[in-house]
Amino acid sequence: METHEIYLPERFDDASLKEKIFFSAISLFAEFGLNGARMEQIAEKANTTKRMVVYHFKSKELLYVQVLEYVYTQIRSCERKLNLSDQPPVEAMVELVEWTFDFHATHPDFIRIICMENMQRGRFVKESAYLREINRSALELLQDVLTRGQEKQLFNKQVCAKDVHRLISSFSFYHVANSYTFSNFFEDGAEPVDSTAHYREMAVKVVLRYIGP
């Protein structure tokens, strides 16, 4: 299981010891962050010892970096599998927005890990050339859809991929990162999943209006 090529089985029980340690690290880093999660906790959750965690991953910091890389690699890898280039630009944009929203909603631990990294002011992201490189594909994929739509005069030519990515991410990220406070303040404590379809549809409408001619 190399740093940039981590493939986890669907079920914890089907995982190897190294993979169980990694599963456990994702959960605990999402819950407590780098500083709050302890190697002993990771070992206990994986039903092993701290010595084995160190044997496989050397240090908590190196394990955390691998978790960050895994999270972003999964997002970008799944995104590229959408084959948006085979679809008309408007349909491609709708699918991208809906997929992004759903991916965030169904991977809350990933989003919390990214929140934790932002709380550290991007300490490890800034040091990772790999993370910068892997995330370039998000803008490249989006720019292709925008360019095709602009050529057909379906999208505003002044719109750039970075701004659209920020807009899509803001809707998708907020739905997970602020779900508990927003739900308790404004939705009588309803489960976030109950409003996923509504806010996903809203995200699509907002993005299409923003990029429209």
PDB file of all heavy atoms in Angstrom, residues 5 9 11 49 82 108 122 174 208:
ATOM      1  N   GLU A   5      -1.053   5.221  -3.837  1.00  0.00           N
ATOM      2  CA  GLU A   5      -1.868   4.182  -4.442  1.00  0.00           C
ATOM      3  C   GLU A   5      -2.478   3.325  -3.336  1.00  0.00           C
ATOM      4  O   GLU A   5      -2.036   2.212  -3.070  1.00  0.00           O
ATOM      5  CB  GLU A   5      -1.018   3.318  -5.394  1.00  0.00           C
ATOM      6  CG  GLU A   5      -0.450   4.080  -6.576  1.00  0.00           C
ATOM      7  CD  GLU A   5      -1.534   4.598  -7.505  1.00  0.00           C
ATOM      8  OE1 GLU A   5      -2.627   3.991  -7.546  1.00  0.00           O
ATOM      9  OE2 GLU A   5      -1.293   5.598  -8.185  1.00  0.00           O
ATOM     10  N   PRO A   9     -10.577  -2.028   0.876  1.00  0.00           N
ATOM     11  CA  PRO A   9     -11.785  -2.832   0.641  1.00  0.00           C
ATOM     12  C   PRO A   9     -13.001  -2.111   1.195  1.00  0.00           C
ATOM     13  O   PRO A   9     -12.889  -1.188   1.999  1.00  0.00           O
ATOM     14  CB  PRO A   9     -11.492  -4.125   1.416  1.00  0.00           C
ATOM     15  CG  PRO A   9     -10.493  -3.734   2.451  1.00  0.00           C
ATOM     16  CD  PRO A   9      -9.665  -2.646   1.843  1.00  0.00           C
ATOM     17  N   ARG A  11     -15.315  -3.250   3.199  1.00  0.00           N
ATOM     18  CA  ARG A  11     -15.624  -3.578   4.586  1.00  0.00           C
ATOM     19  C   ARG A  11     -14.368  -3.655   5.428  1.00  0.00           C
ATOM     20  O   ARG A  11     -13.351  -4.200   5.005  1.00  0.00           O
ATOM     21  CB  ARG A  11     -16.369  -4.925   4.666  1.00  0.00           C
ATOM     22  CG  ARG A  11     -17.713  -4.915   4.008  1.00  0.00           C
ATOM     23  CD  ARG A  11     -18.528  -6.193   4.230  1.00  0.00           C
ATOM     24  NE  ARG A  11     -17.725  -7.348   4.609  1.00  0.00           N
ATOM     25  CZ  ARG A  11     -17.878  -8.001   5.764  1.00  0.00           C
ATOM     26  NH1 ARG A  11     -18.769  -7.594   6.656  1.00  0.00           N
ATOM     27  NH2 ARG A  11     -17.146  -9.076   6.029  1.00  0.00           N
ATOM     28  N   THR A  49      -1.487  -3.102  18.015  1.00  0.00           N
ATOM     29  CA  THR A  49      -0.663  -2.370  18.979  1.00  0.00           C
ATOM     30  C   THR A  49      -0.061  -1.130  18.342  1.00  0.00           C
ATOM     31  O   THR A  49       0.062  -1.046  17.109  1.00  0.00           O
ATOM     32  CB  THR A  49       0.483  -3.257  19.495  1.00  0.00           C
ATOM     33  OG1 THR A  49       1.344  -3.596  18.380  1.00  0.00           O
ATOM     34  CG2 THR A  49      -0.059  -4.542  20.117  1.00  0.00           C
ATOM     35  N   LEU A  82     -16.331  10.205 -14.380  1.00  0.00           N
ATOM     36  CA  LEU A  82     -17.652  10.657 -14.826  1.00  0.00           C
ATOM     37  C   LEU A  82     -17.763  10.716 -16.351  1.00  0.00           C
ATOM     38  O   LEU A  82     -18.868  10.738 -16.884  1.00  0.00           O
ATOM     39  CB  LEU A  82     -17.961  12.043 -14.241  1.00  0.00           C
ATOM     40  CG  LEU A  82     -18.131  12.105 -12.722  1.00  0.00           C
ATOM     41  CD1 LEU A  82     -18.302  13.552 -12.263  1.00  0.00           C
ATOM     42  CD2 LEU A  82     -19.315  11.259 -12.269  1.00  0.00           C
ATOM     43  N   PRO A 108     -18.700  12.031   4.713  1.00  0.00           N
ATOM     44  CA  PRO A 108     -18.525  13.095   5.707  1.00  0.00           C
ATOM     45  C   PRO A 108     -17.161  13.066   6.395  1.00  0.00           C
ATOM     46  O   PRO A 108     -16.634  14.126   6.754  1.00  0.00           O
ATOM     47  CB  PRO A 108     -19.661  12.837   6.703  1.00  0.00           C
ATOM     48  CG  PRO A 108     -20.026  11.392   6.509  1.00  0.00           C
ATOM     49  CD  PRO A 108     -19.818  11.136   5.056  1.00  0.00           C
ATOM     50  N   GLY A 122      -3.702  24.685   6.481  1.00  0.00           N
ATOM     51  CA  GLY A 122      -3.130  23.998   5.331  1.00  0.00           C
ATOM     52  C   GLY A 122      -1.672  23.616   5.503  1.00  0.00           C
ATOM     53  O   GLY A 122      -0.931  23.536   4.532  1.00  0.00           O
ATOM     54  N   TYR A 174     -20.485  22.985   2.546  1.00  0.00           N
ATOM     55  CA  TYR A 174     -21.301  23.552   3.630  1.00  0.00           C
ATOM     56  C   TYR A 174     -22.345  22.560   4.100  1.00  0.00           C
ATOM     57  O   TYR A 174     -22.628  22.466   5.297  1.00  0.00           O
ATOM     58  CB  TYR A 174     -21.966  24.837   3.149  1.00  0.00           C
ATOM     59  CG  TYR A 174     -22.693  25.601   4.234  1.00  0.00           C
ATOM     60  CD1 TYR A 174     -22.071  26.658   4.900  1.00  0.00           C
ATOM     61  CD2 TYR A 174     -24.002  25.278   4.602  1.00  0.00           C
ATOM     62  CE1 TYR A 174     -22.729  27.362   5.891  1.00  0.00           C
ATOM     63  CE2 TYR A 174     -24.659  25.974   5.594  1.00  0.00           C
ATOM     64  CZ  TYR A 174     -24.025  27.018   6.237  1.00  0.00           C
ATOM     65  OH  TYR A 174     -24.672  27.710   7.233  1.00  0.00           O
ATOM     66  N   LEU A 208     -25.920  26.910 -12.727  1.00  0.00           N
ATOM     67  CA  LEU A 208     -26.346  27.152 -14.100  1.00  0.00           C
ATOM     68  C   LEU A 208     -26.672  28.625 -14.336  1.00  0.00           C
ATOM     69  O   LEU A 208     -26.392  29.174 -15.412  1.00  0.00           O
ATOM     70  CB  LEU A 208     -27.555  26.275 -14.445  1.00  0.00           C
ATOM     71  CG  LEU A 208     -27.294  24.769 -14.558  1.00  0.00           C
ATOM     72  CD1 LEU A 208     -28.563  24.032 -14.924  1.00  0.00           C
ATOM     73  CD2 LEU A 208     -26.190  24.495 -15.597  1.00  0.00           C
TER      74      LEU A 208
END
